[in-house]
């Protein structure tokens, strides 16, 4: 078997067209404020890509770039001003944050109707209750990618490798809501291969290059690789040993060009949704 590609660029382009049409129907564009603290180079690239997509699709964006030594109190006060600013629909604080700042305090501070990253406790709570408002961009993008290829996880055994708050946990909840039977694996899981081998749908978000080999994948499985790593040659790669696994999987995401483009588009969708929440009561 040679797996078909789950082409995130194509799926994101289709989604972009849908969102652009929605934006054209609005009286004025929504506004997203991106807050970056410090000079982490990877964060710089992610923020730039998000701003570029805003410009392309017709969302107004603004970058607030604060120095590395910004105190938590000063960041929280900046967020309070953005919460109060009626012209701002969505607020995104790029992670990772410098060590003097507790990310949870920041996520709690963002108004729940402006929490376009979906990392805040209210957004996470609503998701867990089965009434999602803002869903974290990567898991939401993955669900959309599956839909684009008419792949339904309902009734299937889905294995999620990784349990972070921003990818693994919300993804597992979304799959459960779509009637999948879900297993979550992590670094303390014993005999990972025995678990992954049972997966009809395998999602890998561990951040470990080549963690998943061909021997760990069931024939015909759908494989979604969230990982973003650099291999020994400095080339981008995911967590899945792509070529050998492609020979057993039925569908597989490339890295790059799989989950990444869907993540950015999810953020655009969440910003448009934030605009719809404006003026509503909590
Ligand atoms: P994270 O916070 O570091 O979480 C990694 C998770 O993987 C943890 O739950 C960890 O288990 C688990 N893990 C690590 N090594 C493992 C192993 N050997 N076997 C089984 N589980 C293992 O990372 P994240 O933020 O979720 O991101 C995961 C990856 O996705 C990274 O490569 C990141 O760059 C990428 N990513 C991509 C996108 C995109 O748009 N494409 C978006 C977000 C993230 P413990 O909990 O036990 O430590």
């Amino acid at each position: 078997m040679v797996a078909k590609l789950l082409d995130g660029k194509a799926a994101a382009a289709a989604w972009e067209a849908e969102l652009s049409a929605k934006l054209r129907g609005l009286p004025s564009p929504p506004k997203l404020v991106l807050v970056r603290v410090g000079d982490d180079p990877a964060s710089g690239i992610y923020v730039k890509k998000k701003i570029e997509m805003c410009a392309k699709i017709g969302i107004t964006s603004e970058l607030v770039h604060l120095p590395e030594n910004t105190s938590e109190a000063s960041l929280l006060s900046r967020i309070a001003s953005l919460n109060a600013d009626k012209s701002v629909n969505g607020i995104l604080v790029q992670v990772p944050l410098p060590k003097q700042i507790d990310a949870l305090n920041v996520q709690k501070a963002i108004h729940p109707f402006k929490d376009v990253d979906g990392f805040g406790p209210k957004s996470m709570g609503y998701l867990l209750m089965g009434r999602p408002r803002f869903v974290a961009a990567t898991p939401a993008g993955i669900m959309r990618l599956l839909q684009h290829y008419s792949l339904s996880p309902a009734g299937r055994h889905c294995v999620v490798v990784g349990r972070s708050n921003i990818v693994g946990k919300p993804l597992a909840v979304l799959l459960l809501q779509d009637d999948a039977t879900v297993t979550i694996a992590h670094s303390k899981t014993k005999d990972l291969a025995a678990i992954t081998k049972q997966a009809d749908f395998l999602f890998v978000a561990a951040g470990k290059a080549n963690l998943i080999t061909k021997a760990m994948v069931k024939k015909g499985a759908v494989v979604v690789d969230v990982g973003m790593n650099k291999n020994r040659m400095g080339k981008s790669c995911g967590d899945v040993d792509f070529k050998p696994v492609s020979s057993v999987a039925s569908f597989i995401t490339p890295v790059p060009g799989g989950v990444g483009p869907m993540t950015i588009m999810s953020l655009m969708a969440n910003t448009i949704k934030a605009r719809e929440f404006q003026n509503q009561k909590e």
Side-chain angles (χ1 to χ4, degrees):
M1 175 178 292
V2 179
K4 293 193 185 91
L5 275 191
L6 293 171
D7 182 347
K9 282 190 191 161
W15 199 2
E16 184 184 333
E18 200 182 291
L19 294 177
S20 295
K22 216 171 182 178
L23 281 162
R24 282 195 296 273
L26 295 176
S28 62
K31 179 172 172 183
L32 172 65
V33 174
L34 301 102
V35 182
R36 180 180 172 208
V37 188
D39 294 304
D40 175 68
S43 293
I45 295 169
Y46 298 144
V47 164
K48 186 167 170 264
K49 282 188 176 174
K50 290 166 188 174
I51 290 173
E52 281 169 1
M53 184 51 75
C54 283
K56 182 164 181 237
I57 202 170
I59 287 174
T60 303
S61 71
E62 183 186 315
L63 173 62
V64 175
H65 192 174
L66 303 171
E68 180 79 26
N69 63 358
T70 301
S71 68
E72 185 177 297
S74 131
L75 177 59
L76 294 183
S77 132
R78 194 67 181 249
I79 290 171
S81 320
L82 294 170
N83 282 340
D85 184 342
K86 284 196 166 30
S87 76
V88 175
N89 300 104
I91 304 168
L92 177 153
V93 179
Q94 185 67 41
V95 286
L97 287 162
K99 54 183 179 325
Q100 71 276 14
I101 299 173
D102 181 342
L104 179 58
N105 288 339
V106 174
Q107 287 151 1
K108 267 162 47 185
I110 295 172
H111 191 284
F113 283 164
K114 299 191 180 191
D115 179 24
V116 288
D117 247 346
F119 297 164
K122 279 213 171 162
S123 299
M124 294 286 260
Y126 275 107
L127 171 64
L128 203 55
M129 301 298 283
R131 302 280 293 276
R133 268 184 185 172
F134 294 112
V135 178
T138 302
I142 291 169
M143 299 308 285
R144 176 83 189 199
L145 184 62
L146 295 180
Q147 279 164 22
H148 183 84
Y149 284 93
S150 304
L151 294 168
S152 168
R156 314 301 298 279
H157 187 186
C158 292
V159 173
V160 180
V161 181
R163 56 174 165 178
S164 71
N165 287 338
I166 66 171
V167 187
K169 276 186 211 163
L171 176 60
V173 174
L174 289 170
L175 291 164
L176 191 60
Q177 275 161 19
D178 268 10
D179 298 327
T181 301
V182 183
T183 300
I184 307 175
H186 46 79
S187 70
K188 308 291 184 297
T189 297
K190 290 208 166 58
D191 199 354
L192 181 65
I195 310 269
T196 58
K197 192 87 186 152
Q198 295 172 37
D200 300 313
F201 285 53
L202 177 60
F203 303 86
V204 194
K208 297 274 176 301
N210 292 338
L211 175 68
I212 303 297
T213 61
K214 179 179 171 182
M216 297 167 79
V217 178
K218 178 162 134 179
K219 190 161 186 265
V222 173
V223 178
V224 175
D225 188 353
V226 187
M228 283 197 308
N229 313 294
K230 292 272 183 228
N231 67 15
R232 269 169 288 156
M233 331 281 280
K235 241 183 102 192
S236 298
C237 68
D239 292 349
V240 174
D241 195 4
F242 181 81
K243 250 194 172 172
V245 171
S246 300
S247 68
V248 283
S250 58
F251 288 88
I252 190 166
T253 51
V255 177
V259 173
M262 298 304 283
T263 296
I264 294 195
M265 214 46 74
S266 282
L267 173 66
M268 301 299 117
N270 275 351
T271 305
I272 297 170
K273 195 184 226 183
R275 166 65 174 267
E276 289 159 9
F277 280 132
Q278 202 176 34
N279 302 326
Q280 283 187 29
K281 285 249 177 304
E282 242 284 86

